[in-house]
Amino acid sequence: MKPRSSFPPVRAEVHADGVCAPYLRAGAGHPVVVLVPPADAASGWPAIAERIAERAADRCRIIAPEVAPDPAALDCWLRAFLDGLGAAGATLVVGATLADAARDFAAREPERVASVAVLEAGGVPRDLLELLHICLEDARPA
């Protein structure tokens, strides 16, 4: 039987700079933000975010907004969302739809985003913890 996390998922909302975003959170430690763009919401992304939260909460703080903006609106929305959470140096886990916008944001805002992991369309890593381990290793200061 799988041990239950000591940090079960909780639903919450962040309000900052005109952004009101409901999200799922679980765990403690390094923030890992799992973004579900509207185009991917019907494709099972919310279930992937919940699965990541269930399996990784003992290693990091998973933050999964219910729906992220379209790529064109990501900059302002993500800046406000991360600031509202106080989640500096976060790792972003995104689907292919948001990959370019997330990488661009990370390049412009390195104090807000430590690394970006992209899950390709239709692809879910066999071991989500392995993916997050790689993200967390990349996020550690040298």
Side-chain angles (χ1 to χ4, degrees):
M1 181 157 91
K2 182 179 129 186
R4 295 198 57 97
S5 169
S6 56
F7 301 101
V10 173
R11 299 235 177 252
E13 281 187 355
V14 67
H15 299 269
D17 294 331
V19 168
C20 175
Y23 66 96
L24 175 75
R25 72 171 183 236
H30 179 79
V32 176
V33 179
V34 181
L35 295 177
V36 182
D40 294 340
S43 70
W45 252 105
I48 293 169
E50 288 194 27
R51 210 167 125 204
I52 291 172
E54 289 170 2
R55 295 189 59 199
D58 288 334
R59 295 178 176 225
C60 53
R61 178 170 51 137
I62 301 295
I63 302 159
E66 285 186 11
V67 177
D70 289 317
L74 185 69
D75 270 19
C76 292
W77 184 92
L78 187 55
R79 187 176 299 111
F81 185 74
L82 292 173
D83 289 351
L85 292 169
T91 293
L92 300 181
V93 177
V94 300
T97 306
L98 287 176
D100 290 338
R103 286 185 191 117
D104 290 345
F105 181 84
R108 283 189 306 278
E109 305 276 354
E111 70 284 354
R112 287 187 171 95
V113 177
S115 61
V116 177
V118 179
L119 300 180
E120 295 302 325
V124 178
R126 289 185 188 174
D127 188 345
L128 294 169
L129 292 178
E130 181 179 329
L131 170 69
L132 291 171
H133 175 73
I134 292 167
C135 293
L136 295 172
E137 287 297 318
D138 288 347
R140 287 199 179 127

